[in-house]
Amino acid sequence: MHIDHKTGDKMYIDFTGSKLQFHPIKGPERDAEVFLAILGCTRLTYVGVIESQHKEDLIKAPRECLTLFRRCARCDRSR
């Protein structure tokens, strides 16, 4: 199904169903959530790893994502 998107109009976010396990240098093995974000028009994709789906992390992940997307937009304009 084709959906027309306006540039910068929507960002779709989701978490993957399964968690990643990582082994810090110090401390026990821990789980992490995988955060995904896609801009509808450009299909720019962001994948990030955060500790949980709690409010603090859910605010932090899109903020980092938008920072990266802004940098990409500046690079495109400089060409």
Side-chain angles (χ1 to χ4, degrees):
M1 179 166 91
H2 178 75
I3 300 173
D4 289 324
H5 297 280
K6 295 178 184 175
T7 304
D9 186 39
K10 289 184 176 58
M11 180 174 74
Y12 300 94
I13 65 170
D14 200 0
F15 288 93
T16 60
S18 56
K19 295 183 179 187
L20 289 178
Q21 291 184 342
F22 67 98
H23 307 271
I25 294 173
K26 295 180 180 179
E29 180 179 293
R30 293 172 37 188
D31 290 336
E33 299 283 348
V34 180
F35 173 83
L36 303 167
I38 299 172
L39 287 182
C41 180
T42 61
R43 294 189 207 146
L44 280 174
T45 304
Y46 173 86
V47 179
V49 178
I50 59 176
E51 286 191 44
S52 69
Q53 293 186 25
H54 294 298
K55 183 173 31 175
E56 296 81 18
D57 294 324
L58 188 55
I59 291 169
K60 180 179 157 188
R63 185 177 294 157
E64 291 175 2
C65 169
L66 289 170
T67 300
L68 178 70
F69 286 160
R70 283 189 200 109
R71 286 186 194 143
C72 292
R74 281 190 215 120
C75 291
D76 284 346
R77 279 188 253 137
S78 65
R79 291 184 190 176

